[in-house]
């Protein structure tokens, strides 16, 4: 099962992606995590991506599609994948669909997490993430150890107010049209499932699972 997670920054794609991955037994792939890993390791891709990421802009479509080609060539995604933040432009949606068709595969469902802007800004201003495994936390200070892997919690540079405002702008301008793109292809393509993502983490997981099971 291939599931695309869509939603604005801070909507809970990473948090829910992890839980859905455990429940459904397929890996979660986050292009944000892949790119931050490249930045940390100082690869050429990382150095190039950092410029875009720090100010909250999107990295070029070709970079994302290159990552996706590697992801679907791997044995680990044979049963499926949860794609967290992987599709953010119509060109990426088209590119992914073409690539999957060539492999005889397709996106099965698109979960669209919906939360209002005010709550998103609150969540991101309170977030720290592990610098090793990238697990997000709320209410934990930078410098504390990660419960999962013992890494160090840090603040993300793109969680600063200016970058968050830009990420929200970019989402509305470039990613929101992707929802319409999937909606137009629902009859033959993936099911489009809107999820109210304002609630406890458990509530949102249950809403997502219920939507997928229907
Ligand atoms: P990415 O890392 O994917 O950032 P994002 O999409 O902005 O999403 P976030 O990680 O900020 O939020 P989230 O929805 O995962 O929420 P989370 O679960 O952490 O991408 C970063 C950058 O990489 C992009 O800006 C771009 O530059 C580049 N990039 C990546 N993919 C790309 C692509 N395809 N094309 C081009 N560029 C790309 O939750 C947020 C906080 O809220 C956490 O603290 C969490 O603990 C808390 N929380 C979660 N759920 C709840 C809840 N129900 N109630 C209360 N708190 C909650």
């Amino acid at each position: 099962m291939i599931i695309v997670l869509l939603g604005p920054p801070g909507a809970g794609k990473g948090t829910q992606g992890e839980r859905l991955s455990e429940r459904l037994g397929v890996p979660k792939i986050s292009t944000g995590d892949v790119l931050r890993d490249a930045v940390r390791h100082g690869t050429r891709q990382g150095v190039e991506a950092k410029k875009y990421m720090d100010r909250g802009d999107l990295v070029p479509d070709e970079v994302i599609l290159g990552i996706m080609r590697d992801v679907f060539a791997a044995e680990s995604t044979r049963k499926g994948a949860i794609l967290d933040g992987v599709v953010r432009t119509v060109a990426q949606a088209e590119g992914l669909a073409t690539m999957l068709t060539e492999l005889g595969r397709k996106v099965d469902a698109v979960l669209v997490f919906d939360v209002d802007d005010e709550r998103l800004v609150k969540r991101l201003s309170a977030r720290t993430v592990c610098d090793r495994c990238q697990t997000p936390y709320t209410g934990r200070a930078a410098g504390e150890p990660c419960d999962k892997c013992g890494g160090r919690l840090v603040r993300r540079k793109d969680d600063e107010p200016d970058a968050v405002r830009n990420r929200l702008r970019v989402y509305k301008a470039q990613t929101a049209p992707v929802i319409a793109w999937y909606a137009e292809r629902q009859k033959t393509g993936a099911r489009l499932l809107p999820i109210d993502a304002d609630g406890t983490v458990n509530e949102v997981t249950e809403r997502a699972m219920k939507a997928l099971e229907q």
Side-chain angles (χ1 to χ4, degrees), residues 71-158:
V71 162
F72 285 105
E75 178 62 22
S76 56
T77 56
R78 202 175 42 82
K79 272 173 49 190
I82 311 285
L83 303 179
D84 158 13
V86 165
V87 185
R88 295 186 200 228
T89 64
V90 168
Q92 291 176 14
E94 284 168 349
L96 179 66
T98 305
M99 184 188 310
L100 290 175
T101 303
E102 282 165 13
L103 296 169
R105 307 182 71 177
K106 67 176 184 61
V107 171
D108 296 287
V110 178
L111 297 181
V112 185
F113 293 107
D114 184 38
V115 191
D116 66 53
D117 285 5
E118 203 184 320
R119 194 166 296 273
L120 295 173
V121 172
K122 262 196 199 138
R123 283 185 186 177
L124 294 178
S125 63
R127 173 168 69 178
T128 48
V129 297
C130 174
D131 69 350
R132 200 185 295 161
C133 71
Q134 316 226 16
T135 299
Y137 291 91
T138 303
R140 296 276 304 271
E144 290 184 27
C146 170
D147 295 344
K148 250 189 171 172
C149 75
R152 200 173 54 96
L153 303 192
V154 293
R155 284 273 300 153
R156 267 171 54 175
K157 195 155 182 199
D158 63 351

Side-chain angles (χ1 to χ4, degrees), residues 27-90:
K28 180 195 84 160
I29 311 295
S30 153
T31 32
D33 289 352
V34 171
L35 292 167
R36 273 185 294 277
D37 223 44
V39 171
R40 211 171 24 251
H41 288 98
T43 65
R44 216 173 62 190
Q45 186 185 61
V47 171
E48 183 59 20
K50 190 174 187 311
K51 293 186 283 194
Y52 298 94
M53 295 173 80
D54 282 352
R55 56 178 188 250
D57 285 336
L58 298 182
V59 305
D61 293 333
E62 312 83 69
V63 175
I64 301 301
L65 291 169
I67 294 172
M68 281 302 97
R69 259 188 289 280
D70 292 345
V71 162
F72 285 105
E75 178 62 22
S76 56
T77 56
R78 202 175 42 82
K79 272 173 49 190
I82 311 285
L83 303 179
D84 158 13
V86 165
V87 185
R88 295 186 200 228
T89 64
V90 168

Side-chain angles (χ1 to χ4, degrees), residues 1 3 5 20 23-24 108-113 186 191-196 203-214:
M1 188 177 228
I3 301 173
L5 307 187
L20 295 176
R23 294 266 194 115
L24 300 169
D108 296 287
V110 178
L111 297 181
V112 185
F113 293 107
Q186 262 205 100
R191 287 187 300 147
L192 188 63
L193 306 170
I195 307 295
D196 175 3
E203 281 167 352
V204 179
T205 307
E206 292 316 316
R207 287 175 199 154
M209 286 303 296
K210 203 168 151 199
L212 286 170
E213 280 158 12
Q214 268 165 12

